Amino acid sequence: MEVKSQLLDLKPYQPGKPIEEVKKEFGLDRIVKLASNENPYGSSPKVKQAIEEEISRLALYPDGYSAQLRTALSARLGVGEEQLIFGNGSDEVVQIICRAFLDGLSNTVMATPTFPQYRHNAVIENAEIREVPLKEGKHDLDAMLKAIDDYTKVVWVCSPNNPTGTYAGREELDRFLKAVPSGVLVVLDEAYYEYVTAEDFPDTIAYLNAYPNVMILRTFSKAYGLASLRIGYGIGEKSLIQRIEPAREPFNTSRIAQAAALAALDDQEFIGSCRERNKQGLEQYYRFCKEMNLSYYPSEGNFILIDFNKDADVLFRKLLEKGYIVRSGAALGFPSSLRITVGSEQENNEIISLLKTIL
């Protein structure tokens, strides 16, 4: 039996090394994982209570419409309930978009390096992929605009961008959206939105009224600390959501995930605290980089990409042997850099001290 030819050279997504594997490989008791941009402070205390209350209903299918969560989220965002689509993480919403729009006669435009699942899902749909190199770590929106033609169906803008942490500012994004043809879908992936502190970060929800071809992606995996439960969402114009809904699998988000997300959404004080502590953590890394004369991109996410001017895989291995898991930039398009998740103050101090010793 033969699978689609485009799958033959496609590799599955490679996540960061799991804690259990590193413990076993190096005989370590304590591991600090700073590889997958998880929230070091976990999730709101309200989440645990919501999950405990939901456990008695495990034999029941979830609400395929996510009605309670939909109502609460639409109220918080100031959008209509029909403007939301939920996914098994925002990853699945990426897959839904690709399934709904892309085929062998179309192309899709994205930055490089950026979140790899845009490319991955486009390959599966046999679409042409047009990758535009980052400019000083940021999306080159002018070059991306030039890459659009009559066969372009989807353009991806990851902001803050993974793995650089950079973002598209309000003025440049305004100019870009005004110039993109109305028949091209622009996806603004804001997985790290809750961590953003930049004053000129655009209010993208406001774009939805002016641009029916805009869709925003967000998630409960990062700042909300629900990565293991896999729940994210897309926001778009009502008719757009209605048209792509048939590509969504039934019951794609679990009862527990919906209950946890609803509780997490209700605790914005926790999110505010995480945002502030993340900002302080980034400052720890900025000071380290300046002290060691290392290049880095100022980040609006909960991670930082640092150029060590050394083989990233070698550095990654040395940290791993000491029980610290990060992401090697070699797999992300930055062969001399490491992407490090911002941990707690103590975790940041520990890995910074270790890096100073190694360097």
Side-chain angles (χ1 to χ4, degrees):
M1 294 182 288
E2 293 186 4
V3 299
K4 292 179 178 179
S5 60
Q6 58 266 35
L7 268 67
L8 298 178
D9 295 321
L10 197 61
K11 295 180 180 179
Y13 178 76
Q14 296 294 319
K17 268 185 166 296
I19 290 174
E20 296 77 11
E21 182 181 329
V22 178
K23 278 186 176 181
K24 183 178 180 181
E25 183 176 353
F26 297 101
L28 299 169
D29 294 324
R30 178 176 180 261
I31 301 296
V32 176
K33 186 184 178 190
L34 300 173
S36 299
N37 304 338
E38 296 148 330
N39 189 338
Y41 306 107
S43 55
S44 164
K46 295 183 178 183
V47 167
K48 182 180 179 181
Q49 181 181 349
I51 290 174
E52 288 174 348
E53 292 174 358
E54 201 61 43
I55 284 176
S56 64
R57 305 182 182 95
L58 293 183
L60 304 177
Y61 281 108
D63 173 9
Y65 191 64
S66 306
Q68 285 186 289
L69 177 58
R70 182 181 297 272
T71 298
L73 186 58
S74 68
R76 172 154 293 279
L77 298 175
V79 300
E81 293 187 14
E82 303 90 349
Q83 290 184 261
L84 297 169
I85 185 170
F86 292 92
N88 187 9
S90 57
D91 290 352
E92 190 193 19
V93 186
V94 171
Q95 182 187 58
I96 289 169
I97 291 168
C98 289
R99 181 182 289 182
F101 288 98
L102 300 179
D103 57 27
L105 300 177
S106 61
N107 69 65
T108 180
V109 176
M110 64 195 70
T112 184
T114 191
F115 185 52
Q117 291 305 98
Y118 314 143
R119 187 183 200 283
H120 184 95
N121 284 286
V123 168
I124 292 173
E125 302 303 331
N126 203 29
E128 178 193 351
I129 296 154
R130 298 186 173 182
E131 295 178 303
V132 178
L134 297 174
K135 186 177 182 181
E136 298 178 352
K138 298 180 65 176
H139 281 56
D140 187 345
L141 294 181
D142 289 337
M144 291 176 69
L145 191 61
K146 291 177 182 177
I148 296 172
D149 65 14
D150 292 342
Y151 299 96
T152 305
K153 293 292 184 68
V154 183
V155 177
W156 307 88
V157 179
C158 186
S159 182
N161 184 48
N162 181 6
T164 57
T166 56
Y167 68 101
R170 186 181 303 113
E171 289 187 8
E172 59 182 324
L173 192 57
D174 284 349
R175 289 195 303 270
F176 179 71
L177 292 177
K178 286 176 182 176
V180 173
S182 60
V184 176
L185 177 66
V186 179
V187 180
L188 306 177
D189 188 346
E190 298 181 345
Y192 300 92
Y193 171 78
E194 288 77 14
Y195 286 112
V196 172
T197 60
E199 292 184 1
D200 67 333
F201 193 88
D203 174 15
T204 51
I205 299 292
Y207 287 139
L208 299 177
N209 290 327
Y211 302 104
N213 61 323
V214 166
M215 187 167 178
I216 303 162
L217 305 186
R218 292 183 185 172
T219 185
F220 287 97
S221 295
K222 304 302 181 185
Y224 286 99
L226 304 183
S228 68
L229 295 180
R230 312 307 302 127
I231 185 163
Y233 58 96
I235 320 160
E237 195 261 336
K238 177 180 175 181
S239 66
L240 170 63
I241 298 299
Q242 287 177 333
R243 280 178 285 149
I244 67 172
E245 268 282 0
R248 180 179 64 83
E249 295 293 327
F251 309 119
N252 61 330
T253 60
S254 70
R255 295 188 69 94
I256 289 180
Q258 291 177 29
L262 186 61
L265 192 66
D266 191 44
D267 193 350
Q268 291 301 309
E269 184 178 345
F270 173 80
I271 296 300
S273 172
C274 291
R275 182 188 303 112
E276 181 57 32
R277 286 189 281 185
N278 182 72
K279 183 178 180 180
Q280 294 170 3
L282 283 169
E283 291 294 337
Q284 289 178 263
Y285 287 101
Y286 297 161
R287 290 192 295 270
F288 161 67
C289 290
K290 290 171 184 174
E291 179 185 344
M292 303 299 291
N293 197 29
L294 299 171
S295 298
Y296 68 95
Y297 293 112
S299 176
E300 291 297 324
N302 67 333
F303 57 89
I304 184 169
L305 186 73
I306 303 174
D307 188 353
F308 290 90
N309 293 310
K310 296 180 182 295
D311 186 319
D313 284 343
V314 172
L315 274 178
F316 166 80
R317 185 75 181 179
K318 287 182 178 180
L319 289 172
L320 200 63
E321 291 170 353
K322 299 294 184 180
Y324 292 82
I325 312 173
V326 297
R327 283 302 293 268
S328 169
L332 305 173
F334 294 91
S336 61
S337 300
L338 296 178
R339 192 194 70 189
I340 305 172
T341 301
V342 177
S344 66
E345 181 179 4
Q346 178 182 335
E347 290 169 342
N348 298 334
N349 282 330
E350 288 174 358
I351 195 170
I352 285 171
S353 178
L354 181 56
L355 282 166
K356 285 180 179 179
T357 301
I358 292 171
L359 296 174

